[in-house]
Amino acid sequence: MKKQKLFILFVMFTTILTAQWKPAGDKIKTKWAEVIDTDNVLSEYPRPIMQRSDWKNLNGLWKYSITKYGNDKPKIFEGDILVPFPIESSLSGVMKTVGSSKEVWYETNFTVPKKWNGKQILLHFGAVDWKADVWINDVKVGSHTGGYTPFSFDITPFLGNGSQNLTVKVWDPTNDGQQPRGKQVKNPDGIWYTPVTGIWQTVWLEPTNTKSIENIKALANIDNNTVKINADVKAASYGDVIEVTVFDGENVISNVKSEASQDINISIPNAKLWSPESPFLYRTRIKLISRGKVVDEVKSYFAMRKISSKKDENGIVRMQLNNKDYFQFGPLDQGWWPDGLYTAPSDEALKYDIIKTKELGFNMIRKHVKVEPARWYTHCDELGILVWQDMPNGGVSPQWQSRKYFDGKELKRTAESEQIYRKEWKEIMDYLYSYPSIVVWVPFNEAWGQFKTEEIADWTKAYDSSRLVNPASGGNHYRTGDILDLHHYPGPNLFLYDAERVTVLGEYGGIGLPLENHLWKTNNNWGYVKFKNSKETTDEYVKYAQHLMKLIKLGFSAAVYTQTTDVEGEVNGFMTYDRKVDKLDFERVNAINKQVIKTLQK
């Protein structure tokens, strides 16, 4: 009876906590916001490219406070926040601004499952913007800077019995600082959006042995039907072995063992090539064996695909996919949400925009000045979409020359700013290296914080020679990297050409259609051109696409249309910001997009 009463009290307490939370503010929301369960927030395994069988999700209601910069941990917290939604978002339940003069404190309690006794306990953060300090049971276990990449701490030595206390402090200066921030500004307007501060991806626990696999890199070579796999092993010793089993569906096609410190080259006979039309993935099981015993095991995958460039019979440098000319065509994808800002309200929502992009007939997405959670890239791998990955730059350039090769003075960053850029760009590339959907790295966009362009482009190519480098989307232009990328609004225009590199139209379009009851702002909504209904907007889109086909024959090898959805004050999406209305005629768009893509096919 006593146990039953305690259980009833627990249920009542949990119900009260859940009832207290609700989305903040009166902005538009997606359909997924209506079914948020605070006890089951983004509950899917957060790192499917390296998946273990056991883990614990720490998302949910935490305590929060906003304090002045430099203050001690508050004795009393202000209220509840729904992690991992950023504090400025509606779904956090808070929707408060922070800024450079303040910090956000988080606190929660958790228990470690008893079956994990004897294991190393890792505390993972998907992403926290920007500087995070972390305490376990009032002992500081570490810090991390960088708003877009995962990080973790081995918290085993700091754990006690029973309930454990986790405290996180975050500082994010937005555009008062020198860190990468993408489209975030403290005074959002036009193409600039609401700040995102704090935890914005899943927080989770994972048990491992002392010896464990820390990271996996896969690099396919379709020209000789092999894949190279490298497993980075923690606490490896002589005699440790990595075993890789490769599956085609349920069938084992290869099983290879190698000394743990060595790259493993695996033959893939009659390889099935990955493409947007046929996104086949080989699944893998990777074991770490020490003294004859399996001490770690993860599931992963890879794809046999190649991205390259080559001159065609007319001397135009074309992008190639799997050694064939292939026109890449897709939308500029900001990855913002009216209710969660940087954070999609559910995994279904995260996947939804990719599915709709495929429905529109596109084969590519340019992920614009933002980095997504790991699950987004796995969705791209599985659904079949090429990805151009931008660096989320901060800062501006003293001058932007978009219509000619740059002949001015490049921006000189401070030593601190340059160090931050280099550190975070490398971490982003390391984080995303093994996702086959990613085919282009984009270090700079429209001269935002652009510096040492040739050096950065050369470093990027040297660090990952398996992908193309688009050094400066929209300029400032240099004869470096693999791509010359032009921006022109609203219609396509080929005003600069490079005979020795791929020439692409990295942004165009921006056709606006504001729809009442689906607007973030009630006035001053913005598009490069605006129309009154879906037919007019679709007609204009088709007209641009028809003109684009002529320019493809003259030299364009890829194009990016602005954009997937409306975002805050921008009303130039294929969908409304709340994803509730498809604003253009998707069937007509699909038909013309497929014609555009087939322009290069023989």
Side-chain angles (χ1 to χ4, degrees):
M1 181 66 71
K2 187 176 180 182
K3 286 185 178 178
Q4 187 177 10
K5 285 181 179 179
L6 286 171
F7 176 75
I8 292 169
L9 285 171
F10 172 77
V11 171
M12 289 175 63
F13 179 69
T14 305
T15 303
I16 290 168
L17 279 179
T18 304
Q20 285 176 343
W21 176 88
K22 64 178 182 179
D26 57 0
K27 298 285 190 181
I28 56 171
K29 295 170 181 61
T30 65
K31 65 180 181 181
W32 299 282
E34 300 164 8
V35 291
I36 291 283
D37 177 0
T38 59
D39 294 323
N40 194 31
V41 181
L42 294 170
S43 58
E44 296 79 10
Y45 189 85
R47 191 192 56 206
I49 204 166
M50 198 182 99
Q51 184 164 353
R52 290 191 176 92
S53 58
D54 215 355
W55 71 295
K56 182 173 183 175
N57 193 341
L58 297 186
N59 293 341
L61 287 171
W62 296 25
K63 297 296 181 184
Y64 87 94
S65 272
I66 301 172
T67 65
K68 288 184 178 180
Y69 181 84
N71 277 14
D72 292 335
K73 175 182 173 180
K75 290 184 172 56
I76 300 174
F77 283 76
E78 293 177 37
D80 293 332
I81 183 169
L82 188 58
V83 169
F85 298 105
I87 197 165
E88 295 90 348
S89 73
S90 172
L91 291 182
S92 70
V94 180
M95 208 172 180
K96 293 179 181 177
T97 57
V98 183
S100 58
S101 63
K102 297 178 182 177
E103 294 169 315
V104 183
W105 289 83
Y106 298 82
E107 185 178 71
T108 191
N109 293 297
F110 64 89
T111 57
V112 177
K114 289 183 179 179
K115 63 180 180 178
W116 293 3
N117 286 349
K119 299 282 189 178
Q120 305 295 113
I121 309 302
L122 303 182
L123 171 63
H124 294 284
F125 293 85
V128 180
D129 195 6
W130 175 74
K131 182 181 186 296
D133 297 300
V134 180
W135 290 261
I136 294 291
N137 298 324
D138 295 325
V139 178
K140 189 172 182 179
V141 298
S143 300
H144 179 265
T145 58
Y148 298 96
T149 51
F151 60 96
S152 60
F153 302 106
D154 181 350
I155 61 172
T156 316
F158 312 103
L159 297 173
N161 296 320
S163 180
Q164 315 294 327
N165 180 264
L166 167 59
T167 304
V168 182
K169 180 181 74 171
V170 181
W171 175 68
D172 179 17
T174 312
N175 55 312
D176 286 337
Q178 303 180 78
Q179 80 292 348
R181 57 179 170 80
K183 288 287 195 82
Q184 304 175 57
V185 293
K186 58 186 180 181
N187 296 308
D189 188 43
I191 67 167
W192 306 103
Y193 313 146
T194 303
V196 169
T197 300
I199 298 169
W200 68 274
Q201 289 185 31
T202 293
V203 186
W204 54 295
L205 298 174
E206 182 179 42
T208 68
N209 287 320
T210 304
K211 288 186 179 185
S212 60
I213 299 168
E214 286 193 301
N215 189 37
I216 295 167
K217 280 189 172 183
L219 180 62
N221 187 329
I222 71 167
D223 295 325
N224 62 13
N225 285 325
T226 61
V227 63
K228 181 172 71 176
I229 292 178
N230 175 270
D232 184 14
V233 176
K234 177 184 177 183
S237 56
Y238 183 73
D240 291 345
V241 171
I242 290 290
E243 179 185 53
V244 180
T245 306
V246 180
F247 297 88
D248 178 344
E250 298 295 322
N251 300 319
V252 175
I253 64 168
S254 184
N255 180 266
V256 179
K257 293 181 180 179
S258 175
E259 200 275 321
S261 63
Q262 302 295 314
D263 290 338
I264 302 174
N265 288 290
I266 303 172
S267 176
I268 309 293
N270 304 310
K272 296 179 180 179
L273 302 184
W274 183 97
S275 70
E277 293 74 30
S278 180
F280 181 81
L281 298 174
Y282 288 93
R283 303 291 172 172
T284 60
R285 183 179 64 226
I286 303 173
K287 295 179 179 179
L288 172 60
I289 303 168
S290 184
R291 296 186 178 182
K293 181 182 178 182
V294 176
V295 296
D296 198 8
E297 181 176 328
V298 298
K299 292 180 180 179
S300 188
Y301 63 86
F302 65 87
M304 298 298 289
R305 74 102 183 91
K306 176 184 177 182
I307 185 70
S308 56
S309 61
K310 186 179 180 180
K311 283 189 177 181
D312 66 11
E313 64 273 14
N314 298 314
I316 298 172
V317 183
R318 298 296 187 186
M319 283 186 173
Q320 291 198 320
L321 178 65
N322 300 331
N323 295 322
K324 294 180 180 178
D325 292 352
Y326 191 86
F327 190 82
Q328 297 188 29
F329 191 27
L332 194 74
D333 190 325
Q334 314 274 7
W336 284 71
W337 301 85
D339 34 35
L341 299 180
Y342 259 14
T343 310
S346 71
D347 189 63
E348 181 187 354
L350 189 70
K351 190 175 179 179
Y352 182 82
D353 285 1
I354 308 168
I355 293 171
K356 299 298 284 188
T357 299
K358 295 279 287 187
E359 281 183 21
L360 286 160
F362 289 118
N363 59 20
M364 175 262 278
I365 288 170
R366 180 180 169 201
K367 179 49 62 176
H368 191 40
V369 294
K370 186 198 176 194
V371 179
E372 293 289 359
R375 292 191 64 83
W376 186 86
Y377 297 95
T378 293
H379 290 322
C380 290
D381 295 340
E382 293 177 338
L383 292 170
I385 200 85
L386 302 169
V387 176
W388 294 12
Q389 180 60 58
D390 285 12
M391 169 63 171
N393 261 300
V396 296
S397 177
Q399 52 181 315
W400 176 28
Q401 297 176 351
S402 63
R403 300 183 71 86
K404 64 177 183 177
Y405 285 100
F406 189 69
D407 61 6
K409 274 192 171 183
E410 269 206 292
L411 174 70
K412 288 190 176 181
R413 290 195 181 214
T414 65
E416 180 187 9
S417 173
E418 181 172 336
Q419 186 272 333
I420 290 170
Y421 175 95
R422 290 179 185 273
K423 169 186 176 290
E424 295 195 27
W425 184 224
K426 179 182 180 296
E427 287 178 352
I428 289 167
M429 292 180 67
D430 286 339
Y431 161 45
L432 300 176
Y433 183 90
S434 291
Y435 293 96
S437 53
I438 298 176
V439 293
V440 174
W441 297 117
V442 188
F444 298 110
N445 176 76
E446 292 187 351
W448 302 349
Q450 187 176 341
F451 76 106
K452 296 185 179 178
T453 309
E454 293 169 307
E455 183 180 331
I456 296 296
D458 289 347
W459 179 90
T460 302
K461 188 68 176 181
Y463 198 64
D464 181 8
S465 60
S466 71
R467 293 178 170 96
L468 300 181
V469 175
N470 181 353
S473 184
N476 294 322
H477 303 299
Y478 288 79
R479 288 181 173 86
T480 189
D482 301 296
I483 296 171
L484 171 66
D485 181 325
L486 312 181
H487 291 185
H488 190 269
Y489 288 99
N493 190 7
L494 178 58
F495 53 83
L496 198 61
Y497 173 75
D498 193 321
E500 300 304 318
R501 292 184 298 155
V502 176
T503 302
V504 306
L505 182 60
E507 290 182 31
Y508 81 101
I511 305 168
L513 175 61
L515 291 184
E516 194 175 351
N517 300 321
H518 299 279
L519 299 174
W520 173 268
K521 297 169 65 176
T522 55
N523 57 10
N524 199 29
N525 288 294
W526 182 85
Y528 287 94
V529 289
K530 285 198 282 189
F531 291 88
K532 295 179 180 178
N533 57 56
S534 178
K535 183 181 183 304
E536 288 180 354
T537 311
T538 305
D539 287 345
E540 192 75 357
Y541 180 86
V542 170
K543 183 179 78 174
Y544 291 169
Q546 289 169 338
H547 183 52
L548 175 61
M549 283 190 279
K550 298 175 183 177
L551 299 179
I552 293 169
K553 294 175 182 178
L554 296 175
F556 277 142
S557 293
V560 178
Y561 178 84
T562 304
Q563 61 186 335
T564 307
T565 72
D566 294 349
V567 185
E568 299 203 357
E570 297 178 10
V571 292
N572 48 13
F574 288 106
M575 297 178 281
T576 54
Y577 195 19
D578 57 16
R579 277 73 166 174
K580 291 181 178 178
V581 180
D582 295 340
K583 299 200 297 177
L584 277 69
D585 182 332
F586 272 40
E587 287 189 10
R588 287 183 65 198
V589 172
N590 178 290
I592 193 66
N593 283 352
K594 286 181 176 176
Q595 288 183 48
V596 170
I597 290 168
K598 288 178 181 177
T599 305
L600 288 185
Q601 294 181 357
K602 297 177 177 62

